[in-house]
Amino acid sequence: MKAPSATYDFTDRLGRFFELNGLPRMAGRIMGHLLVCVPAELTFDDIVSAAGASRSSVSVATQFLIRVGIVERFGVPDDRRDRYRLRDRAWTSRLQQNIDAARELRALAEDGLALMKGQPRGGSARLLAMREFYTFLDTS
């Protein structure tokens, strides 16, 4: 049996990291390939070949990466094939999405606290803990 390449090991580790954090493993593997490929872009067929995966699973994963703002699809003159690359501001864009989500969750906790005004302390204590946590994240 042939030993996996260093690239395969890296992309698989990134895929497993994604999976452990509630995201699709294939999306992490594709992102891994886009991080190390030279030049810094791949066609769809290149991704399928590099990932050693089905066209359908690569399609779903690339669409996910596009939707969350990590990858962009683009064309080049005189070539009908789309290409994929990491967005220039992929990391800051993703972080901003997480910050925005934390702010929204804090606002939802505040709405819940307003709803619970005058009610027994149990529910409001949980909502207070939620609001404090997301306030901490927003001010850190």
Side-chain angles (χ1 to χ4, degrees), residues 61-78:
T62 54
Q63 291 306 311
F64 169 79
L65 291 167
I66 290 167
R67 191 171 53 256
V68 298
I70 294 174
V71 168
E72 64 184 349
R73 181 177 59 198
F74 66 99
V76 296
D78 299 324

mmCIF file of all heavy atoms in Angstrom, residues 61-78:
data_model
loop_
_atom_site.group_PDB
_atom_site.id
_atom_site.type_symbol
_atom_site.label_atom_id
_atom_site.label_comp_id
_atom_site.label_asym_id
_atom_site.label_seq_id
_atom_site.Cartn_x
_atom_site.Cartn_y
_atom_site.Cartn_z
ATOM 1 N N ALA A 61 -19.308 20.848 -1.931
ATOM 2 C CA ALA A 61 -18.322 21.487 -1.065
ATOM 3 C C ALA A 61 -17.855 22.833 -1.618
ATOM 4 O O ALA A 61 -17.704 23.805 -0.866
ATOM 5 C CB ALA A 61 -17.124 20.560 -0.847
ATOM 6 N N THR A 62 -17.621 22.918 -2.937
ATOM 7 C CA THR A 62 -17.185 24.196 -3.500
ATOM 8 C C THR A 62 -18.305 25.228 -3.391
ATOM 9 O O THR A 62 -18.032 26.403 -3.099
ATOM 10 C CB THR A 62 -16.712 24.072 -4.964
ATOM 11 O OG1 THR A 62 -17.727 23.458 -5.743
ATOM 12 C CG2 THR A 62 -15.413 23.308 -5.059
ATOM 13 N N GLN A 63 -19.556 24.810 -3.594
ATOM 14 C CA GLN A 63 -20.673 25.749 -3.439
ATOM 15 C C GLN A 63 -20.765 26.249 -1.998
ATOM 16 O O GLN A 63 -21.045 27.425 -1.755
ATOM 17 C CB GLN A 63 -21.989 25.104 -3.876
ATOM 18 C CG GLN A 63 -22.085 24.862 -5.365
ATOM 19 C CD GLN A 63 -21.821 26.120 -6.181
ATOM 20 O OE1 GLN A 63 -22.374 27.173 -5.929
ATOM 21 N NE2 GLN A 63 -20.929 25.996 -7.158
ATOM 22 N N PHE A 64 -20.519 25.367 -1.041
ATOM 23 C CA PHE A 64 -20.500 25.780 0.370
ATOM 24 C C PHE A 64 -19.409 26.823 0.603
ATOM 25 O O PHE A 64 -19.648 27.860 1.226
ATOM 26 C CB PHE A 64 -20.286 24.558 1.274
ATOM 27 C CG PHE A 64 -19.999 24.918 2.700
ATOM 28 C CD1 PHE A 64 -21.025 25.280 3.561
ATOM 29 C CD2 PHE A 64 -18.697 24.923 3.178
ATOM 30 C CE1 PHE A 64 -20.765 25.633 4.869
ATOM 31 C CE2 PHE A 64 -18.418 25.274 4.488
ATOM 32 C CZ PHE A 64 -19.459 25.626 5.342
ATOM 33 N N LEU A 65 -18.195 26.558 0.110
ATOM 34 C CA LEU A 65 -17.076 27.477 0.309
ATOM 35 C C LEU A 65 -17.331 28.833 -0.355
ATOM 36 O O LEU A 65 -16.932 29.872 0.178
ATOM 37 C CB LEU A 65 -15.775 26.856 -0.216
ATOM 38 C CG LEU A 65 -15.259 25.675 0.600
ATOM 39 C CD1 LEU A 65 -14.161 24.937 -0.156
ATOM 40 C CD2 LEU A 65 -14.768 26.138 1.971
ATOM 41 N N ILE A 66 -18.006 28.824 -1.491
ATOM 42 C CA ILE A 66 -18.371 30.075 -2.151
ATOM 43 C C ILE A 66 -19.400 30.825 -1.302
ATOM 44 O O ILE A 66 -19.276 32.023 -1.056
ATOM 45 C CB ILE A 66 -18.903 29.811 -3.576
ATOM 46 C CG1 ILE A 66 -17.769 29.337 -4.482
ATOM 47 C CG2 ILE A 66 -19.574 31.058 -4.149
ATOM 48 C CD1 ILE A 66 -18.220 28.749 -5.808
ATOM 49 N N ARG A 67 -20.402 30.107 -0.833
ATOM 50 C CA ARG A 67 -21.483 30.710 -0.048
ATOM 51 C C ARG A 67 -20.975 31.365 1.236
ATOM 52 O O ARG A 67 -21.461 32.420 1.630
ATOM 53 C CB ARG A 67 -22.550 29.657 0.258
ATOM 54 C CG ARG A 67 -23.831 30.203 0.819
ATOM 55 C CD ARG A 67 -24.949 29.164 0.915
ATOM 56 N NE ARG A 67 -24.597 27.952 1.626
ATOM 57 C CZ ARG A 67 -24.332 26.776 1.052
ATOM 58 N NH1 ARG A 67 -24.353 26.627 -0.252
ATOM 59 N NH2 ARG A 67 -24.035 25.714 1.779
ATOM 60 N N VAL A 68 -19.987 30.760 1.893
ATOM 61 C CA VAL A 68 -19.487 31.332 3.146
ATOM 62 C C VAL A 68 -18.359 32.339 2.924
ATOM 63 O O VAL A 68 -17.792 32.868 3.870
ATOM 64 C CB VAL A 68 -19.056 30.248 4.164
ATOM 65 C CG1 VAL A 68 -20.244 29.375 4.551
ATOM 66 C CG2 VAL A 68 -17.894 29.416 3.663
ATOM 67 N N GLY A 69 -18.019 32.607 1.657
ATOM 68 C CA GLY A 69 -17.077 33.666 1.346
ATOM 69 C C GLY A 69 -15.607 33.302 1.413
ATOM 70 O O GLY A 69 -14.749 34.183 1.450
ATOM 71 N N ILE A 70 -15.284 32.009 1.396
ATOM 72 C CA ILE A 70 -13.882 31.586 1.456
ATOM 73 C C ILE A 70 -13.294 31.428 0.054
ATOM 74 O O ILE A 70 -12.136 31.752 -0.186
ATOM 75 C CB ILE A 70 -13.751 30.269 2.252
ATOM 76 C CG1 ILE A 70 -14.136 30.510 3.711
ATOM 77 C CG2 ILE A 70 -12.337 29.704 2.152
ATOM 78 C CD1 ILE A 70 -14.189 29.264 4.553
ATOM 79 N N VAL A 71 -14.107 30.945 -0.869
ATOM 80 C CA VAL A 71 -13.646 30.647 -2.231
ATOM 81 C C VAL A 71 -14.448 31.479 -3.227
ATOM 82 O O VAL A 71 -15.615 31.789 -2.986
ATOM 83 C CB VAL A 71 -13.804 29.134 -2.523
ATOM 84 C CG1 VAL A 71 -13.631 28.810 -3.998
ATOM 85 C CG2 VAL A 71 -12.805 28.337 -1.686
ATOM 86 N N GLU A 72 -13.798 31.819 -4.338
ATOM 87 C CA GLU A 72 -14.519 32.472 -5.424
ATOM 88 C C GLU A 72 -14.315 31.688 -6.708
ATOM 89 O O GLU A 72 -13.276 31.062 -6.913
ATOM 90 C CB GLU A 72 -14.071 33.922 -5.605
ATOM 91 C CG GLU A 72 -12.637 34.116 -6.022
ATOM 92 C CD GLU A 72 -12.257 35.580 -6.095
ATOM 93 O OE1 GLU A 72 -13.141 36.461 -6.018
ATOM 94 O OE2 GLU A 72 -11.055 35.855 -6.227
ATOM 95 N N ARG A 73 -15.344 31.722 -7.552
ATOM 96 C CA ARG A 73 -15.298 31.078 -8.857
ATOM 97 C C ARG A 73 -15.146 32.191 -9.890
ATOM 98 O O ARG A 73 -15.793 33.228 -9.790
ATOM 99 C CB ARG A 73 -16.588 30.306 -9.097
ATOM 100 C CG ARG A 73 -16.614 29.584 -10.426
ATOM 101 C CD ARG A 73 -17.854 28.770 -10.597
ATOM 102 N NE ARG A 73 -19.021 29.634 -10.500
ATOM 103 C CZ ARG A 73 -20.253 29.188 -10.273
ATOM 104 N NH1 ARG A 73 -20.474 27.914 -10.096
ATOM 105 N NH2 ARG A 73 -21.263 30.016 -10.230
ATOM 106 N N PHE A 74 -14.295 31.973 -10.878
ATOM 107 C CA PHE A 74 -14.069 32.998 -11.891
ATOM 108 C C PHE A 74 -13.686 32.340 -13.205
ATOM 109 O O PHE A 74 -13.361 31.160 -13.259
ATOM 110 C CB PHE A 74 -12.968 33.976 -11.432
ATOM 111 C CG PHE A 74 -11.604 33.350 -11.315
ATOM 112 C CD1 PHE A 74 -10.671 33.500 -12.325
ATOM 113 C CD2 PHE A 74 -11.271 32.590 -10.198
ATOM 114 C CE1 PHE A 74 -9.422 32.901 -12.230
ATOM 115 C CE2 PHE A 74 -10.024 31.998 -10.095
ATOM 116 C CZ PHE A 74 -9.095 32.150 -11.113
ATOM 117 N N GLY A 75 -13.748 33.104 -14.259
ATOM 118 C CA GLY A 75 -13.383 32.622 -15.584
ATOM 119 C C GLY A 75 -12.173 33.370 -16.111
ATOM 120 O O GLY A 75 -11.799 34.416 -15.588
ATOM 121 N N VAL A 76 -11.559 32.797 -17.129
ATOM 122 C CA VAL A 76 -10.441 33.452 -17.814
ATOM 123 C C VAL A 76 -10.760 33.491 -19.308
ATOM 124 O O VAL A 76 -11.485 32.627 -19.810
ATOM 125 C CB VAL A 76 -9.093 32.732 -17.555
ATOM 126 C CG1 VAL A 76 -8.705 32.801 -16.092
ATOM 127 C CG2 VAL A 76 -9.133 31.295 -18.015
ATOM 128 N N PRO A 77 -10.217 34.492 -20.013
ATOM 129 C CA PRO A 77 -10.499 34.587 -21.449
ATOM 130 C C PRO A 77 -10.071 33.323 -22.204
ATOM 131 O O PRO A 77 -9.067 32.694 -21.863
ATOM 132 C CB PRO A 77 -9.659 35.788 -21.894
ATOM 133 C CG PRO A 77 -9.404 36.560 -20.652
ATOM 134 C CD PRO A 77 -9.374 35.571 -19.531
ATOM 135 N N ASP A 78 -10.844 32.963 -23.198
ATOM 136 C CA ASP A 78 -10.560 31.843 -24.094
ATOM 137 C C ASP A 78 -10.539 30.477 -23.411
ATOM 138 O O ASP A 78 -9.913 29.545 -23.906
ATOM 139 C CB ASP A 78 -9.232 32.063 -24.841
ATOM 140 C CG ASP A 78 -9.252 33.317 -25.694
ATOM 141 O OD1 ASP A 78 -10.321 33.621 -26.264
ATOM 142 O OD2 ASP A 78 -8.210 33.984 -25.781
#
